[in-house]
C-alpha cells in the first residue's frame, strides 16, 4: 500500500518542472494533466492541473509536505545549489528543520532529529 498526497495546481508547468526537475522526484505515471511521483516505497505525491480536474482545488491552503532526511545540512546545501530559496535551518521540537515553497505556495518541510 502507498499513501498518496495530491496537490491541485494553478501553475501546472512550473509545478511539474519543480517536482520533476528541481527536486528530482521519479515519475511513475503521467498524462497531460496528472503526474504521480515516487517518494519512497510507501509514499507518493501527485500533482494535478486544476484546469482539467474535478473536483475543484484547494490552492495549497492547509497543505504542507514534510520529509524526514538523514543529513539536514547536506539537504539544505543541495536546495541552495538548486536555487530553491530554502529558509534557514532552525531547531524545532528537538529537530532541525528548514522549508521551501513550490510554485503553488505549498510549504515543503525537511527535518532531521538533533
Amino acid at each position: 500500500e502507498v499513501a498518496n498526497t495530491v496537490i491541485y495546481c494553478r501553475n501546472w508547468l512550473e509545478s511539474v518542472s519543480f517536482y520533476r526537475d528541481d527536486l528530482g522526484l521519479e515519475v511513475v505515471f503521467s498524462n497531460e494533466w496528472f503526474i504521480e511521483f515516487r517518494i519512497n516505497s510507501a509514499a507518493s505525491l501527485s500533482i494535478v492541473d486544476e484546469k482539467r480536474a474535478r473536483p475543484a482545488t484547494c490552492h495549497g491552503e492547509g497543505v504542507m509536505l514534510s520529509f524526514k532526511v538523514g543529513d539536514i545540512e547536506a539537504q539544505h546545501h543541495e536546495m541552495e545549489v538548486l536555487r530553491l530559496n530554502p529558509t534557514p535551518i532552525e531547531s524545532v521540537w528537538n529537530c532541525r528543520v528548514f522549508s521551501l515553497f513550490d510554485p503553488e505556495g505549498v510549504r515543503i518541510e525537511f527535518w532531521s532529529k538533533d
Side-chain angles (χ1 to χ4, degrees), residues 18-19 22-25 39 45 64-80 82 84-92 94-102 106-114:
F18 178 82
Y19 287 101
D22 295 342
L23 289 183
L25 297 181
I39 301 299
L45 169 70
M64 179 183 78
L65 304 176
S66 182
F67 299 104
K68 182 179 181 184
V69 298
D71 185 339
I72 196 75
E73 286 84 10
Q75 186 72 47
H76 190 268
H77 178 72
E78 182 178 343
M79 297 301 110
E80 287 181 318
L82 293 171
L84 298 179
N85 302 315
T87 63
I89 297 172
E90 298 179 302
S91 291
V92 179
N94 298 317
C95 295
R96 301 193 65 221
V97 177
F98 74 89
S99 299
L100 51 90
F101 297 86
D102 81 356
V106 173
R107 178 179 168 199
I108 304 169
E109 171 187 82
F110 297 87
W111 64 277
S112 67
K113 287 284 192 184
D114 280 340

Side-chain angles (χ1 to χ4, degrees), residues 8-109:
Y8 289 82
C9 302
R10 288 177 281 193
N11 303 304
W12 170 246
L13 294 177
E14 291 171 324
S15 296
V16 169
S17 177
F18 178 82
Y19 287 101
R20 183 190 60 211
D21 304 331
D22 295 342
L23 289 183
L25 297 181
E26 176 189 357
V27 175
V28 295
F29 175 82
S30 70
N31 63 26
E32 53 282 343
W33 60 273
F34 178 95
I35 297 181
E36 181 179 344
F37 299 97
R38 180 182 323 279
I39 301 299
N40 60 38
S41 62
S44 64
L45 169 70
S46 296
I47 60 171
V48 178
D49 183 349
E50 77 162 21
K51 294 176 193 83
R52 306 208 35 209
R54 298 288 180 253
T57 178
C58 63
H59 296 298
E61 296 174 14
V63 174
M64 179 183 78
L65 304 176
S66 182
F67 299 104
K68 182 179 181 184
V69 298
D71 185 339
I72 196 75
E73 286 84 10
Q75 186 72 47
H76 190 268
H77 178 72
E78 182 178 343
M79 297 301 110
E80 287 181 318
V81 168
L82 293 171
R83 298 182 180 171
L84 298 179
N85 302 315
T87 63
I89 297 172
E90 298 179 302
S91 291
V92 179
W93 296 344
N94 298 317
C95 295
R96 301 193 65 221
V97 177
F98 74 89
S99 299
L100 51 90
F101 297 86
D102 81 356
E104 295 296 319
V106 173
R107 178 179 168 199
I108 304 169
E109 171 187 82

